[in-house]
Amino acid sequence: MKKRWYEYLWIASPVYIGLGFFNILFAWLGLIFFCTPLLIAVIGGNKSYCNTYCDRGQLFELLGSKLKLSLKKTPPRFLCSVGFRYGFLAFFMTMFGLMIYATVQVFAGASLQQTVTLLWVFKLPWQWAQVDMVSPWAAQFAFGFYGVMLTSTLLGLVTMVFLKPRSWCVYCPMGTMTQGICKLKHRKGVKHNGRESQEAGGTVEDIGQ
């Protein structure tokens, strides 16, 4: 069967990591991966990005299933629990907030830190990156965001190897956020439909009287 265009989106992940390695400013492209699933959830009210278009999920599926690099073990229960998923989301967003704070500090005059933080702990020197052509705050955001994307990719690869290929999707912060958005939209839709039914019922009763 002929493959659909979105089945090749897995290429985006290694290309992104590679571009950021040679030029850190390409890290800004990661905002596409960050914003697109949220927009789809807000506008469409579904997780089609996670289920169909996610480049990282496709990559893990390719490596784990087709290339057989995964042990394909069922993820532990705690990894699938609501508490862990939302706890990890809170931790992830806290780290993201600290990254934004560091960017604001550089914008205010602090020194640029040319390091990429892996797993939120290990600072990797990235001095070869050419950042003279942009403002220091823009470069600082690129270093920080690349660290976030590299860390999440590494976590996904580790869980892909030891668990099922797409085990990262179970606790992915973007997946948790989009799921939350979809639930809110569904509840609003149910309430809206309920109010419409009540209003329609009231109108019928008034006419009958």
Side-chain angles (χ1 to χ4, degrees):
M1 294 179 64
K2 187 177 181 180
K3 286 190 175 182
R4 299 177 178 87
W5 64 269
Y6 53 77
E7 295 182 70
Y8 296 96
L9 290 176
W10 64 268
I11 299 173
S13 281
V15 168
Y16 176 79
I17 296 299
L19 289 174
F21 184 84
F22 291 105
N23 191 326
I24 196 63
L25 297 180
F26 281 110
W28 277 86
L29 293 175
L31 288 176
I32 298 174
F33 310 126
F34 194 84
C35 297
T36 301
L38 297 179
L39 289 174
I40 291 177
V42 170
I43 297 172
N46 59 68
K47 294 185 63 178
S48 60
Y49 181 88
C50 296
N51 298 329
T52 305
Y53 305 111
C54 180
D55 57 289
R56 189 174 294 175
Q58 289 183 11
L59 178 64
F60 296 154
E61 187 67 33
L62 174 66
L63 295 176
S65 295
K66 294 185 178 181
L67 298 185
K68 299 181 179 180
L69 299 179
S70 172
L71 296 177
K72 297 184 178 181
K73 292 186 176 181
T74 302
R77 288 187 176 182
F78 81 88
L79 204 66
C80 308
S81 66
V82 174
F84 180 84
R85 289 190 291 110
Y86 279 94
F88 185 73
L89 172 61
F91 174 77
F92 183 88
M93 294 309 296
T94 298
M95 296 298 103
F96 188 81
L98 292 175
M99 181 201 76
I100 296 296
Y101 178 69
T103 302
V104 172
Q105 283 187 315
V106 173
F107 180 80
S111 300
L112 172 66
Q113 301 297 317
Q114 289 186 240
T115 57
V116 169
T117 305
L118 184 64
L119 296 174
W120 301 288
V121 176
F122 306 102
K123 294 186 179 298
L124 308 179
W126 227 261
Q127 280 81 7
W128 64 81
Q130 297 297 318
V131 295
D132 296 336
M133 70 290 292
V134 297
S135 299
W137 71 266
Q140 186 65 61
F141 180 87
F143 282 113
F145 199 75
Y146 188 75
V148 169
M149 298 295 284
L150 191 61
T151 292
S152 56
T153 300
L154 179 61
L155 289 175
L157 287 171
V158 170
T159 51
M160 179 272 295
V161 171
F162 292 101
L163 303 173
K164 289 184 177 180
R166 297 190 63 162
S167 294
W168 162 253
C169 301
V170 172
Y171 65 100
C172 169
M174 298 307 302
T176 303
M177 282 193 284
T178 54
Q179 185 179 42
I181 292 171
C182 292
K183 285 183 177 180
L184 288 174
K185 286 184 69 69
H186 176 70
R187 288 175 184 174
K188 288 181 179 179
V190 170
K191 289 180 180 179
H192 179 69
N193 292 334
R195 284 196 297 269
E196 285 184 342
S197 298
Q198 290 177 357
E199 289 172 359
T203 303
V204 170
E205 290 176 0
D206 291 340
I207 292 174
Q209 292 176 351

